[in-house]
Amino acid sequence: MGENCKTFPKLPIPGKRNILITSALPYVNNVPHLGNIIGCVLSADVFARYCRLRGYNAIYMCGTDEYGTATETKALEENCTPKEICDEYHAIHKEVYKWFDISFDEFGRTSTPQQTEVCQAIFKKLFENNWLSENTMQQLYCDTCKKFLADRLVEGNCPTPGCNYDSARGDQCEKCGKLLNPTELMEPKCKVCRNTPCIRDTDHLFLELPLLKDRLEAYVNNMSVAGGWSQNAIYTTHAWLREGLKPRCITRDLKWGVPVPHEKYKDKVFYVWFDAPIGYVSITSCYTTEWEKWWKNPDDVELYQFMGKDNVPFHTVIFPSTLLGTGENWTLMKTISVTEYLNYEAGKFSKSKGIGVFGNDAKDTNIPVEVWRYYLLTNRPEVSDTLFTWADLQAKLNSELLSNLGNFVNRVLSFIAKDSASGYGSIIPDVEGAESHPLTKALGEKVGNYVEQYIEAMEKVKLKQGLKVAMSVSGEGNGYLQESQFWKLYKEDRRSCSIVMRTACGLVYLLACLLEPFMPSFSREVLKQLNLPPETQLSLADEKGDVANSKRPWNIIPAGHKIGTPAPLFKELKDEEVEFYREKFAGSQADRADRALKAETDAKKMAEQLNKTKISDGNKKERAKKSSETKSKAPATVEGEISISRLDIRVGLITKAQKHPNADSLYVEEIDVGEALPRTVVSGLVNYIPLEEMQNRKVCVLCNLKPVSMRGIKSQAMVLAASNSDHTKVELVEPPKDAAIGERVTFPGFDGKPDDVLNSKKKIWETVQLDLHTNKELVACYKDLPFTTSSGICKVASISEGSIR
């Protein structure tokens, strides 16, 4: 990760596009989870790889953010020094990112002499230019520990009315989510000694953001347009500016941090959010001593920054204000790409609670890195929060990577690799006249257009769209193979077959190029199967004509080239594996550790028991007899246990909806549920959902209720909808857009066959319905299990904690 670059660090080249890429520095006191990985390092890596593919002069800088309260607190908990914590977790982060194929030019850290040097130099400039002020703050002081307590070193009762959580932190209450100041806590306690601290005055330094407002606004108004900032970044920045900027405290009463170079404040350090963005600069200074050619060169360098939405104001308000205040010619951010949150199954990823799949977990599964990268990037939360589910990962692997992409590459290379009696003996055929082969020429035009769309999306950092377009090229390739019927052409028109196979092989190479930023390990394997040397530089550079050449895929691989050995590129993920992973990663990391420990303890007990027990043949017979007696006395399984597995809930498509001729509050819908004929369904939704919103939409349909006549029209099923507590609002339960019509909605762990028709006398539907609801994340659930399809889970638009019927 950057080791090769250290000998010859890249510097900006006049006349070329010089792109400096950073991703938010991951905080060092935890293992990164998948939400962190897609939110910053993976997204930035895709863009960096794309820039290199295009021939731009790009560097990607990142590292661990190591100073601040959280590290000091963790060190106290683990009874070691902050440096030991940072060393341990920096190594873990580095290992996780290496496995994820993240191509940093430098992966550094903020606890370095270079960080101190750059940070203090910036501070001195701000001080000289009078952008800093002094002020007195009230802070909690512990007489026992003889120090001021940072916000995370205090716990107490939450002051928010109705909350009263007794372990609220000094910066935030985890129960109600309210941001706090330590002095607001009721009955505060020092986290170290548990004694009650007192309030004392302490002097601090503040960055005068209000005085810098005009310069900052000019920068934001210009660059947010020129750099095409993502909407969430623009919204958050303008919200800060609208509310009015306030002086920002940049010092803290801590030991672990960059010391403040001022006699009065020499016992304090800089606030982590003042020094963390400066880490981008200091890490670049570790990469090259000529770092100023990147960071003080706005005419020649474009700065692209990647992060999650919670980091925006620090990068669009505080960091640029800091740099503007120095009066120096800094390279300010041109483009910011911000992600929303990736949530996990039916809840949220949480580092503090250890909930979700973490970087080291992904590494420990047998799911390859290219699958993880692909799934995270197709699910990249660019405009709204998205959801990680195991069922969705399985669906995308099996239908998109295996059946579409892997299938195309394997069909092409396997056919070329066949011996010369039925294929091409692994040699790319030499053939002219592709331009005059209508199907092939049309394919070239389509693929050329896709490549242009891909470049347009990637230039605007619309990574999800770029990936979708690249996968469309694979879809075109499969369509081309089917339409050409190459297997017939081989016998009937060898020349046309040769054109098709050479063109398809060029498409395989082109896919390796387009997908390299997203799945570099996939592209490496494709190059190997094409028998191109590992050092082959995949390229989409304009000056080399690579983009123009994509319109002529038959010219990409030279005739006479011998390919390597084809092999399947993806492996199916089976239901039982998905269930295993869902179970394995259920709950928090602490829960998993407890389960593993219990399993180990149980195994040891079992082994000890077996060692102690020496059973004679007679004893065996006696035990066998007792066992059979016990079995005969055991109660039979309760037949027909009432659970969700008895319901036949399917994905349906409303093909037609109209008002009931004899009832003002009822709709009559024709719904396709995967059968020969659509079903007629009557629903009491007129007062809640406009007729135009009922047309041509996917819904969840309960198909095994006994048909019932409603005002003269027989309803053959029921559409499921959620309502709020006072039934003033009703919303349809919606399957994912890609869910297959007629597919049964499933619930993990409930795999039984549904009843043909629910027995109304036994109140099966009425009993199960009590456990149907939406959760806080708007996911439709039975108890705590989501309504699941092979394309993901079912949700509602806005009703949380509503009932479903």
Side-chain angles (χ1 to χ4, degrees):
M1 291 195 299
E3 284 77 5
N4 301 333
C5 310
K6 287 182 183 173
T7 325
F8 305 107
K10 288 178 265 186
L11 294 173
I13 301 165
K16 280 201 87 165
R17 268 195 85 180
N18 301 295
I19 298 183
L20 171 57
I21 299 160
T22 71
S23 59
L25 306 182
Y27 202 68
V28 79
N29 71 335
N30 263 307
V31 179
H33 59 59
L34 297 184
N36 307 133
I37 289 166
I38 186 59
C40 49
V41 295
L42 179 54
S43 294
D45 180 61
V46 173
F47 187 68
R49 286 177 179 278
Y50 165 75
C51 289
R52 297 180 197 123
L53 195 64
R54 294 280 286 143
Y56 305 152
N57 185 38
I59 62 169
Y60 175 17
M61 298 287 118
C62 192
T64 40
D65 175 12
E66 302 195 350
Y67 285 139
T69 319
T71 308
E72 248 189 43
T73 311
K74 185 91 169 176
L76 281 167
E77 285 170 9
E78 300 198 10
N79 199 23
C80 62
T81 65
K83 185 179 185 311
E84 285 169 335
I85 285 285
C86 292
D87 289 346
E88 178 191 345
Y89 281 99
H90 175 78
I92 290 169
H93 276 258
K94 196 164 182 175
E95 194 57 38
V96 166
Y97 303 139
K98 185 177 178 184
W99 187 81
F100 266 95
D101 258 338
I102 310 294
S103 62
F104 306 114
D105 288 270
E106 180 80 23
F107 185 73
R109 50 202 305 191
T110 55
S111 60
T112 61
Q114 288 90 337
Q115 174 76 352
T116 300
E117 188 183 326
V118 177
C119 205
Q120 291 183 341
I122 287 172
F123 165 77
K124 285 172 184 170
K125 284 286 181 190
L126 291 169
F127 195 80
E128 286 166 19
N129 295 342
N130 294 319
W131 298 118
L132 300 177
S133 61
E134 298 181 70
N135 213 329
T136 302
M137 292 170 68
Q138 288 196 320
Q139 205 170 326
L140 294 174
Y141 183 86
C142 179
D143 280 316
T144 313
C145 297
K146 300 284 183 246
K147 66 176 180 183
F148 282 101
L149 300 179
D151 40 26
R152 292 198 178 199
L153 288 177
V154 190
E155 273 185 356
N157 293 349
C158 177
T160 309
C163 178
N164 302 322
Y165 182 53
D166 62 2
S167 298
R169 291 194 320 237
D171 60 346
Q172 187 173 22
C173 173
E174 281 199 328
K175 185 181 175 191
C176 70
K178 187 169 171 59
L179 296 176
L180 301 169
N181 287 315
T183 50
E184 294 177 292
L185 289 174
M186 318 287 285
E187 299 177 34
K189 293 274 186 290
C190 168
K191 269 188 83 169
V192 180
C193 66
R194 305 309 298 172
N195 287 328
T196 302
C198 57
I199 293 177
R200 275 197 192 181
D201 287 348
T202 174
D203 291 340
H204 280 287
L205 286 163
F206 289 75
L207 177 63
E208 281 292 339
L209 289 175
L211 301 180
L212 288 157
K213 184 176 183 240
D214 291 346
R215 297 178 186 211
L216 178 69
E217 277 192 330
Y219 158 72
V220 168
N221 292 338
N222 169 38
M223 205 58 96
S224 62
V225 176
W229 289 10
S230 51
Q231 280 307 309
N232 39 16
I234 292 170
Y235 177 81
T236 304
T237 306
H238 284 302
W240 268 57
L241 291 169
R242 258 197 322 274
E243 283 168 23
L245 298 177
K246 299 172 184 66
R248 184 90 185 175
C249 185
I250 63 165
T251 52
R252 285 291 185 270
D253 288 295
L254 289 172
K255 295 282 178 254
W256 182 242
V258 173
V260 179
H262 186 293
E263 187 56 33
K264 182 178 173 183
Y265 297 98
K266 64 183 182 197
D267 291 335
K268 299 183 196 285
V269 298
F270 288 114
Y271 175 40
V272 68
W273 266 117
F274 175 75
D275 91 88
I278 294 170
Y280 303 131
V281 183
S282 75
I283 289 166
T284 312
S285 80
C286 294
Y287 170 69
T288 171
T289 52
E290 297 182 83
W291 61 271
E292 290 189 358
K293 289 185 176 175
W294 285 105
W295 279 100
K296 293 184 179 178
N297 187 1
D299 294 335
D300 281 344
V301 175
E302 300 167 57
L303 172 58
Y304 282 73
Q305 299 198 289
F306 290 78
M307 69 206 64
K309 63 181 171 184
D310 49 342
N311 286 346
V312 169
F314 302 105
H315 290 80
T316 62
V317 176
I318 295 167
F319 187 42
S321 296
T322 301
L323 298 180
L324 288 165
T326 64
E328 296 175 314
N329 194 27
W330 286 94
T331 303
L332 296 176
M333 175 181 63
K334 175 188 173 186
T335 298
I336 181 171
S337 180
V338 178
T339 52
E340 303 288 315
Y341 294 137
L342 176 72
N343 294 323
Y344 180 70
E345 288 284 343
K348 278 187 164 58
F349 276 96
S350 168
K351 278 198 287 191
S352 57
K353 293 174 186 168
I355 290 170
V357 178
F358 286 70
N360 48 354
D361 296 331
K363 191 158 68 81
D364 293 340
T365 65
N366 64 359
I367 299 171
V369 63
E370 58 269 26
V371 175
W372 284 108
R373 284 181 62 118
Y374 178 80
Y375 179 65
L376 290 171
L377 289 158
T378 57
N379 224 2
R380 185 173 185 249
E382 291 182 352
V383 291
S384 61
D385 292 358
T386 58
L387 198 63
F388 173 101
T389 72
W390 287 102
D392 191 27
L393 181 135
Q394 178 191 28
K396 287 199 165 60
L397 165 53
N398 293 350
S399 64
E400 295 171 21
L401 291 178
L402 181 65
S403 303
N404 173 357
L405 179 64
N407 179 47
F408 172 69
V409 175
N410 199 248
R411 282 177 85 187
V412 174
L413 300 186
S414 297
F415 191 78
I416 292 171
K418 284 182 178 180
D419 63 44
S420 46
S422 52
Y424 290 90
S426 297
I427 306 293
I428 301 295
D430 188 1
V431 67
E432 300 297 322
E435 301 257 6
S436 56
H437 186 258
L439 191 62
T440 300
K441 186 159 174 37
L443 173 82
E445 288 300 320
K446 278 186 201 165
V447 168
N449 290 338
Y450 274 131
V451 170
E452 284 168 11
Q453 287 171 35
Y454 169 88
I455 288 167
E456 187 185 349
M458 297 298 281
E459 290 291 335
K460 291 178 179 170
V461 202
K462 294 187 183 300
L463 307 183
K464 199 195 284 195
Q465 179 64 15
L467 179 52
K468 188 179 175 185
V469 172
M471 291 297 284
S472 298
V473 172
S474 172
E476 284 296 338
N478 276 314
Y480 174 67
L481 292 182
Q482 282 306 107
E483 203 174 335
S484 69
Q485 297 191 309
F486 65 92
W487 57 94
K488 279 189 186 174
L489 288 179
Y490 186 79
K491 294 170 187 163
E492 297 166 10
D493 182 353
R494 183 70 61 88
R495 182 179 159 278
S496 291
C497 185
S498 297
I499 289 172
V500 168
M501 294 323 291
R502 185 173 170 189
T503 302
C505 200
L507 222 52
V508 168
Y509 175 86
L510 185 61
L511 280 165
C513 283
L514 297 173
L515 291 167
E516 194 277 340
F518 302 95
M519 297 185 287
S521 49
F522 160 82
S523 298
R524 287 194 295 269
E525 180 57 29
V526 170
L527 288 180
K528 185 178 158 194
Q529 293 189 22
L530 284 169
N531 192 27
L532 293 169
E535 61 275 13
T536 299
Q537 290 295 309
L538 292 164
S539 169
L540 277 177
D542 281 329
E543 60 266 28
K544 291 188 193 168
D546 296 326
V547 176
N549 215 23
S550 65
K551 282 186 159 53
R552 297 181 293 279
W554 51 87
N555 283 340
I556 292 176
I557 305 282
H561 174 77
K562 184 171 187 178
I563 67 166
T565 308
L569 290 156
F570 299 101
K571 188 164 115 338
E572 183 186 8
L573 190 60
K574 296 192 163 61
D575 291 349
E576 55 269 26
E577 292 175 279
V578 169
E579 204 45 58
F580 170 77
Y581 291 131
R582 190 186 282 116
E583 185 63 35
K584 181 177 178 181
F585 297 113
S588 70
Q589 287 186 315
D591 295 339
R592 295 173 212 164
D594 289 345
R595 287 202 298 269
L597 187 63
K598 184 177 182 304
E600 195 180 327
T601 309
D602 289 350
K604 278 182 184 168
K605 279 182 186 169
M606 183 71 77
E608 284 167 15
Q609 199 66 36
L610 287 170
N611 286 338
K612 284 179 192 170
T613 314
K614 292 182 180 174
I615 309 167
S616 68
D617 285 348
N619 280 347
K620 282 181 190 171
K621 284 174 190 169
E622 186 60 33
R623 285 172 65 185
K625 184 182 168 191
K626 279 188 178 172
S627 168
S628 71
E629 283 171 7
T630 309
K631 277 181 188 167
S632 64
K633 287 176 189 171
T637 309
V638 180
E639 192 184 332
E641 181 189 351
I642 293 180
S643 78
I644 193 72
S645 61
R646 297 183 65 177
L647 271 52
D648 182 10
I649 301 173
R650 295 187 219 164
V651 175
L653 176 70
I654 301 176
T655 55
K656 182 181 173 186
Q658 58 192 31
K659 290 267 189 80
H660 193 299
N662 305 320
D664 291 341
S665 63
L666 301 178
Y667 285 131
V668 180
E669 304 108 33
E670 299 290 315
I671 304 183
D672 180 357
V673 290
E675 297 167 339
L677 294 170
R679 294 202 188 192
T680 301
V681 179
V682 180
S683 308
L685 296 169
V686 170
N687 298 327
Y688 304 103
I689 301 171
L691 183 59
E692 62 271 19
E693 288 181 25
M694 292 292 292
Q695 310 295 337
N696 197 35
R697 67 184 288 179
K698 284 185 181 168
V699 286
C700 289
V701 185
L702 178 59
C703 292
N704 60 341
L705 278 177
K706 190 176 179 182
V708 59
S709 191
M710 297 176 75
R711 292 289 185 94
I713 294 178
K714 189 168 275 192
S715 182
Q716 300 167 317
M718 181 166 77
V719 173
L720 295 184
S723 60
N724 58 359
S725 55
D726 58 2
H727 303 295
T728 55
K729 191 175 180 185
V730 175
E731 292 172 348
L732 295 174
V733 176
E734 295 193 82
K737 286 191 176 68
D738 297 336
I741 295 165
E743 174 184 0
R744 189 180 174 200
V745 175
T746 59
F747 301 84
F750 289 89
D751 303 324
K753 281 192 173 180
D755 293 10
D756 290 336
V757 179
L758 295 174
N759 187 326
S760 52
K761 287 181 184 171
K762 292 189 177 175
K763 303 284 185 196
I764 295 166
W765 158 243
E766 291 78 0
T767 306
V768 172
Q769 190 272 321
L770 296 172
D771 288 316
L772 300 181
H773 64 98
T774 59
N775 66 14
K776 284 181 180 171
E777 280 74 37
L778 311 180
V779 177
C781 295
Y782 167 65
K783 297 184 176 176
D784 58 352
L785 301 169
F787 282 50
T788 306
T789 74
S790 59
S791 297
I793 61 170
C794 306
K795 299 184 79 171
V796 294
S798 67
I799 298 172
S800 69
E801 300 183 315
S803 60
I804 294 175
R805 53 169 60 83

